[in-house]
Amino acid sequence: MKKSLLLFLICAISGFFLTDTNAQPLKQPITIMVTPDRADWTYKTGEQVNFKISVFRNDFPMENIKIVYTIRPEKMEIIKSEEITLKDGTAIVKGGTMKVPGFLNCLAKVVYEGRTYEKYATAGFDVEKIVPTTTLPLDFIQFWDKWKAVLAKIPVNPIMTLMPELCTDKVDVYHVSIQNIEGKIYGILCKPKAEGKYPAILYVPGAGVRKFYGEVTDAENGFITFQIGIHGIPVNLDPKVYTDLSSGALRNYATALMDDKDNYYYKRVYLGCVRSVDFLSALPYYDGKNIAVTGSSQGGALSIVTAGLDQRIKCLAVWSPALSDLTGYISGRAGGWPHMFTTRETQLQARIETSKYYDVVNFARFVKVPGWYSWGYNDDVCPPTSTYSAYNVITAPKELHIFQDTQHWLYPEQVEMRRTWLYTQLKK
């Protein structure tokens, strides 16, 4: 049991909380609070939002402290900036409104003893009415059917190597390689040791390059798990290998080969997710009907993509999906990670057209299974304007859990909610 707990902590730290998300910041000596004047941070277009700004030191309001606050639509140019003095540590500032659905951000900065402290909050306006800026290519389905047909002709050819150092008394853990359309997909498979047929969970990764340890806890609870990497390299190497690749050959992988939709980097990634479902479906201990896909950030994007491409997926659980409504910046509003169209120089027509075949919004249109979704209004990596663009086009059963104050990180409660929901769906 101690070994199992240790493995869980290792997996949580290295594979989820610090890789798919940014760690929550440590407490600082100066605390700033910025809060919209509604509990749910949500307004109708045309309604005014006021932001309450408070500054504390030792949890006590600071008197006569100067702050600078700015107001801007999410990720866009500043529309208001003002320096004010907080006489009793608190001020109410007028944030204005929005005429179209979207998000308005208030950032407060304080300089104290040579250090700068800052905090922001983001108000949403008619968020359920946000519509995507990207469009669906007429041959979108045919494009992906063509490449799935090519993939289907390639044998899966799984190679499974037991990893005794990660196994527990209840779970066997394997390093796995499978054939993809170009190269291979590598991952960590965890399976219960007890004989039987089990549901499966495909874990798709957040952005970056890293080592994986598998999802042992789920396997101890009666599930097969397959945690994959996307870069065609083993996921059990020395961590320094991934550090070197992250700053070298794979530094800008998210925009590699975007001039050609048939060769864009994410083509083999998206098809690799389908190939991972092929692998899980063929396992003799799979129950034959229950496969879920889940992930955060880039993994949230890949979860929607996989569910949109593969009808074998029964359900999906998604946090803050990246790669959503990539063309938002071209239309003067926030677009999804990796923010590829932020300047005129990057807005090349060939890249714009390629993006439509890979934009999560267009896969979301074809999701037909139940989904659990969650994110925060303050996420500036995967801005909520972009994530709502994908969520709002989904017609399948769905539930959204907003934790307004979160940035690009998760509360433990969100992690537990997601796990409980997945377990319930897969055991129906």
Side-chain angles (χ1 to χ4, degrees):
M1 183 64 184
K2 289 182 179 179
K3 185 177 181 182
S4 173
L5 178 59
L6 177 60
L7 286 172
F8 170 71
L9 292 174
I10 292 173
C11 295
I13 293 172
S14 62
F16 193 84
F17 291 107
L18 295 183
T19 56
D20 286 356
T21 68
N22 295 326
Q24 295 186 43
L26 297 174
K27 184 175 175 61
Q28 296 178 315
I30 303 299
T31 301
I32 306 174
M33 296 186 66
V34 183
T35 313
D37 54 1
R38 288 189 181 171
D40 63 358
W41 298 22
T42 307
Y43 303 77
K44 297 292 184 183
T45 51
E47 292 182 335
Q48 300 290 318
V49 54
N50 295 319
F51 291 94
K52 180 180 179 180
I53 302 174
S54 303
V55 182
F56 302 88
R57 184 171 183 270
N58 298 325
D59 295 331
F60 197 82
M62 297 185 72
E63 295 185 359
N64 299 315
I65 186 75
K66 289 184 178 180
I67 70 163
V68 174
Y69 75 89
T70 58
I71 305 291
R72 66 172 180 168
E74 183 183 42
K75 308 292 283 185
M76 296 291 105
E77 294 295 324
I78 294 171
I79 59 176
K80 181 180 180 182
S81 180
E82 186 178 9
E83 181 179 89
I84 60 175
T85 299
L86 308 187
K87 296 191 179 302
D88 59 356
T90 298
I92 305 295
V93 301
K94 294 182 178 180
T97 189
M98 295 192 72
K99 296 180 179 179
V100 296
F103 289 86
L104 197 64
N105 175 275
C106 177
L107 170 68
K109 291 186 178 181
V110 171
V111 177
Y112 181 76
E113 294 184 347
R115 289 181 175 269
T116 300
Y117 302 88
E118 62 182 48
K119 183 73 177 293
Y120 64 86
T122 311
F125 291 81
D126 278 333
V127 296
E128 73 284 351
K129 295 181 181 179
I130 293 173
V131 296
T133 62
T134 191
T135 56
L136 182 70
L138 293 177
D139 64 341
F140 181 84
I141 294 298
Q142 292 90 332
F143 175 82
W144 285 107
D145 281 349
K146 175 187 72 175
W147 285 112
K148 286 195 294 181
V150 174
L151 176 67
K153 295 178 181 179
I154 301 171
V156 178
N157 191 27
I159 299 175
M160 299 172 56
T161 304
L162 188 68
M163 305 178 74
E165 71 278 13
L166 295 182
C167 296
T168 72
D169 57 341
K170 295 181 179 179
V171 174
D172 285 330
V173 181
Y174 298 86
H175 185 261
V176 176
S177 72
I178 53 179
Q179 293 292 113
N180 193 16
I181 193 164
E182 297 166 0
K184 296 182 178 182
I185 284 286
Y186 291 86
I188 304 294
L189 177 75
C190 301
K191 63 169 288 290
K193 286 185 174 181
E195 291 189 12
K197 302 284 187 176
Y198 299 99
I201 304 174
L202 174 62
Y203 278 86
V204 283
V209 194
R210 68 188 66 90
K211 185 173 184 175
F212 290 117
Y213 298 87
E215 296 290 341
V216 175
T217 300
D218 292 338
E220 290 185 331
N221 282 291
F223 298 90
I224 302 164
T225 65
F226 190 37
Q227 182 185 37
I228 64 168
I230 62 169
H231 299 295
I233 56 176
V235 294
N236 62 345
L237 304 177
D238 187 306
K240 188 178 184 302
V241 173
Y242 308 110
T243 300
D244 291 344
L245 286 169
S246 294
S247 59
L250 294 175
R251 182 178 179 184
N252 296 311
Y253 72 85
T255 55
L257 304 174
M258 270 203 78
D259 295 333
D260 180 358
K261 68 178 184 292
D262 286 306
N263 288 300
Y264 179 36
Y265 192 88
Y266 275 106
K267 185 192 78 177
R268 60 169 302 282
V269 174
Y270 289 7
L271 292 171
C273 294
V274 174
R275 177 43 45 104
S276 298
V277 178
D278 292 337
F279 167 68
L280 286 170
S281 298
L283 292 173
Y285 24 86
Y286 166 57
D287 71 7
K289 60 180 181 179
N290 294 302
I291 299 180
V293 60
T294 187
S296 303
S297 194
Q298 177 187 261
L302 297 179
S303 297
I304 294 175
V305 168
T306 306
L309 283 176
D310 200 317
Q311 295 184 0
R312 291 170 294 184
I313 296 297
K314 181 180 180 180
C315 61
L316 68 160
V318 171
W319 170 75
S320 207
L323 294 154
S324 297
D325 204 40
L326 296 167
T327 53
Y329 291 103
I330 299 173
S331 298
R333 72 181 207 193
W337 179 91
H339 311 287
M340 57 181 62
F341 296 125
T342 55
T343 65
R344 192 174 297 276
E345 290 75 20
T346 63
Q347 295 172 10
L348 303 176
Q349 193 58 41
R351 293 190 170 203
I352 293 170
E353 290 305 311
T354 292
S355 75
K356 297 176 182 180
Y357 290 87
Y358 294 88
D359 199 303
V360 166
V361 165
N362 288 332
F363 292 91
R365 302 178 195 276
F366 299 98
V367 171
K368 304 300 181 186
V369 295
W372 181 97
Y373 304 83
S374 187
W375 53 76
Y377 280 11
N378 280 343
D379 193 335
D380 65 346
V381 177
C382 297
T385 299
S386 68
T387 52
Y388 270 104
S389 294
Y391 180 81
N392 287 345
V393 303
I394 295 172
T395 58
K398 58 185 179 180
E399 55 184 79
L400 178 58
H401 301 271
I402 295 296
F403 288 72
Q404 282 86 346
D405 66 324
T406 58
Q407 298 175 24
H408 205 57
W409 44 262
L410 291 164
Y411 284 116
E413 288 83 353
Q414 286 170 278
V415 178
E416 190 56 38
M417 287 171 64
R418 182 198 61 154
R419 177 177 286 116
T420 299
W421 187 88
L422 279 174
Y423 285 10
T424 302
Q425 291 291 319
L426 290 172
K427 291 185 176 181
K428 282 184 177 180

